[in-house]
Amino acid sequence: MKVKQIDTEEHNQNVSNVNHFKEILILVSSIFGFVIFLYWASIFAVDKIVDGLTPELETRLFNIMEKYPTKNDDTASNNNPKFIKAKKVLNSLVEHSSLKGQSYRLKIIPGKDINAFALPGNTILIVNELLERIETENELAMVLGHELGHFHHKHHLKNMGRQFVMGFFSMVIFGDNNPVSKFFLGGLDYTEKSFNREQESDCDIYGAGLVVKKYSHLAGAFGFFERLKKGEGVLHKYFSTHPISEDRINKVKSFALANGFSITGELTPLEPRPDSL
Amino acid sequence: MEQLIIAGVLLIVGYGFGNYLETRHYKYIRLREKRLINKPSVNLRSAPLENKEVISSELAIGSTVVSVDYFKRFLAGLRLVFGGRLTSYESLLDRARREALLRMKESVKNADIYLNVRIETSSISKGRNEKSVGSIEAVAYSTAVKFKEVS
């Protein structure tokens, strides 16, 4: 018997001659279409559920937050004059808002970010750095009013629902260790950031409304944004969850102009004036 | 956004390097296959002797481990959703099998024929943890037979 070895150079039947780029394009488009459809359908459902959630039910559901206090030392916070002031301003703003009758917890968390968070369970977290940079009571009211805006629009619950949906989709469809999930999560994260920026603008308007109700003018409400503007780079608007400060200032000014609110007036200092003591 | 950029960079790097290394590997495989084409490897248990006298027989064994690039893993990940042929892994297995066969032949260079050839493939990484690598090992083994030269 004659044994002949096959030369595989001419044709390799074990490897398909396919264009992997074309294959990846078709598969990615199909998955994107399918996932986006399901994702938005789920988001719509989550938003509807959140809209129907009463404040009482929310408080009951998220009372668990009380059992897990933040790492900060409450005693130290209570001795911080800015924190004490913030609590007073917050309570006063709540009385002027659509959230009247509800109680909100304010906590300081350590950190260098200039940020504050509205969390389920009527909790507002302020990063220490933000509190340190605030110079007037009007600025403080704008920041707290903005956070109350998140509660008014139920953004804290909607965002939580969205994050749950995102995580669920990623895990169920791709598994937790699939490179595809990183890619899709990145894409969804980008769309979420644009959604967050819209939310932040809505809250700025809500916060500005509360500041006007409390002080009868919007003077000082932009001071904080003016200082933030200086530290923002060109790419800030693409990577941040918040709109660029210039846009925020312009939107609030347009809101003031449209409603006839004054943007000038007397600023209230954080510390009481010596002559008023 | 950061995840999107990282995934995009990994895809481009994976495709570029993966393609380059695969082309180079295939080139090397073909070169050696041509050189060893006159040394048949068969899965017959007994030799087609044709009255030849066997002067030696020994175990020939060759193994290799090949890993897949990020681009192909990504493509395979997409395939897991829809099903169908995992074309991106075909070349990985093909290269591993052929490389193992070549190494098997090279392990006993003076043999005239390799009988009872067996190829086994196993996955190097199992499980779903973050550090798992998509690689396979192919082992080829056979009985390398040397015939007495007829003068």
Side-chain angles (χ1 to χ4, degrees):
Chain A
M1 188 172 87
K2 185 84 177 164
V3 177
K4 190 188 170 204
Q5 196 75 8
I6 300 163
D7 184 355
T8 52
E9 191 164 9
E10 292 298 316
H11 173 66
N12 187 354
Q13 74 282 0
N14 292 324
V15 179
S16 306
N17 187 20
V18 292
N19 185 339
H20 285 151
F21 265 120
K22 195 176 161 190
E23 193 181 349
I24 218 165
L25 203 69
I26 293 168
L27 293 176
V28 166
S29 325
S30 313
I31 289 188
F32 248 125
F34 179 67
V35 170
I36 285 171
F37 170 75
L38 278 182
Y39 177 71
W40 283 113
S42 310
I43 294 297
F44 181 76
V46 165
D47 285 358
K48 284 281 161 207
I49 292 168
V50 167
D51 284 339
L53 208 65
T54 60
E56 293 75 29
L57 187 57
E58 187 198 332
T59 313
R60 260 204 347 247
L61 281 173
F62 296 103
N63 254 354
I64 196 165
M65 297 281 295
E66 289 254 44
K67 292 172 190 165
Y68 299 97
T70 46
K71 281 182 184 171
N72 71 312
D73 179 2
D74 277 348
T75 322
S77 296
N78 288 331
N79 293 333
N80 181 342
K82 277 191 179 177
F83 177 72
I84 298 163
K85 187 77 176 174
K87 270 181 143 177
K88 279 184 190 164
V89 172
L90 178 67
N91 291 335
S92 148
L93 287 174
V94 171
E95 288 307 304
H96 286 96
S97 74
S98 54
L99 307 161
K100 192 175 175 180
Q102 292 193 54
S103 65
Y104 289 86
R105 277 189 297 276
L106 189 67
K107 295 196 174 195
I108 305 178
I109 52 168
K112 289 287 167 197
D113 289 339
I114 304 162
N115 214 343
F117 308 93
L119 299 183
N122 290 0
T123 305
I124 296 175
L125 298 183
I126 297 191
V127 182
N128 193 39
E129 185 70 17
L130 187 149
L131 206 58
E132 288 304 314
R133 291 200 186 196
I134 283 172
E135 291 176 1
T136 64
E137 193 185 296
N138 307 64
E139 288 177 13
L140 184 62
M142 182 66 195
V143 169
L144 293 170
H146 172 99
E147 295 310 317
L148 288 176
H150 284 304
F151 288 109
H152 171 77
H153 294 292
K154 295 189 175 177
H155 289 158
H156 58 305
L157 296 175
K158 286 179 182 171
N159 287 348
M160 204 171 75
R162 278 168 186 251
Q163 275 164 10
F164 173 76
V165 169
M166 259 170 84
F168 178 79
F169 270 83
S170 162
M171 283 287 288
V172 169
I173 299 178
F174 306 113
D176 58 348
N177 187 34
N178 192 321
V180 185
S181 60
K182 267 188 192 172
F183 186 79
F184 280 97
L185 276 178
L188 291 177
D189 185 47
Y190 187 71
T191 59
E192 279 307 299
K193 280 203 170 88
S194 109
F195 170 71
N196 283 341
R197 286 192 288 267
E198 278 174 37
Q199 287 186 338
E200 299 299 333
S201 291
D202 291 345
C203 293
D204 282 343
I205 300 297
Y206 186 85
L210 291 184
V211 170
V212 170
K213 278 182 188 167
K214 184 168 165 57
Y215 302 99
S216 309
H217 59 76
L218 270 170
F222 318 107
F224 184 65
F225 297 141
E226 292 282 3
R227 287 198 298 282
L228 275 184
K229 198 169 84 172
K230 289 172 191 159
E232 288 172 0
V234 185
L235 295 174
H236 180 84
K237 68 174 170 180
Y238 300 107
F239 294 98
S240 173
T241 52
H242 288 64
I244 54 171
S245 297
E246 194 167 351
D247 285 354
R248 299 177 82 169
I249 295 166
N250 291 338
K251 276 199 177 162
V252 176
K253 277 185 179 171
S254 307
F255 165 74
L257 198 70
N259 292 282
F261 298 144
S262 169
I263 57 168
T264 54
E266 195 187 350
L267 294 179
T268 313
L270 280 173
E271 303 295 333
R273 288 189 188 88
D275 56 358
S276 68
L277 290 173
Chain B
M1 189 64 192
E2 295 84 2
Q3 285 176 321
L4 203 64
I5 294 170
I6 291 168
V9 169
L10 285 174
L11 276 176
I12 294 166
V13 170
Y15 182 77
F17 276 93
N19 227 16
Y20 169 72
L21 291 173
E22 186 170 285
T23 311
R24 204 175 68 162
H25 191 202
Y26 264 125
K27 211 171 157 182
Y28 186 48
I29 286 173
R30 279 169 190 148
L31 185 80
R32 285 148 73 214
E33 276 178 347
K34 271 192 176 167
R35 207 165 55 210
L36 295 165
I37 200 159
N38 294 321
K39 297 199 173 193
S41 49
V42 294
N43 64 354
L44 297 172
R45 283 191 174 205
S46 54
L49 290 174
E50 293 173 351
N51 300 324
K52 287 176 181 171
E53 191 184 334
V54 175
I55 55 166
S56 74
S57 68
E58 58 182 294
L59 174 71
I61 188 161
S63 76
T64 187
V65 178
V66 186
S67 182
V68 72
D69 60 70
Y70 191 86
F71 179 86
K72 286 183 174 164
R73 267 186 85 181
F74 185 85
L75 189 51
L78 290 173
R79 268 281 162 232
L80 291 179
V81 180
F82 291 98
R85 284 183 300 144
L86 272 176
T87 53
S88 61
Y89 277 14
E90 284 177 352
S91 61
L92 174 81
L93 283 156
D94 184 58
R95 280 161 61 198
R97 280 194 299 257
R98 285 164 74 175
E99 180 65 39
L101 269 176
L102 284 167
R103 288 185 182 184
M104 178 200 78
K105 284 184 179 180
E106 284 161 356
S107 73
V108 184
K109 283 183 178 161
N110 63 348
D112 292 311
I113 191 165
Y114 301 85
L115 297 173
N116 201 17
V117 175
R118 296 287 182 268
I119 303 175
E120 286 179 15
T121 312
S122 58
S123 166
I124 288 289
S125 53
K126 283 178 182 168
R128 297 162 64 85
N129 64 45
E130 195 59 43
K131 287 183 181 158
S132 75
V133 186
S135 1
I136 55 145
E137 184 203 22
V139 183
Y141 56 93
S142 65
T143 307
V145 174
K146 172 84 179 153
F147 297 126
K148 187 180 180 183
E149 282 182 31
V150 183
S151 52

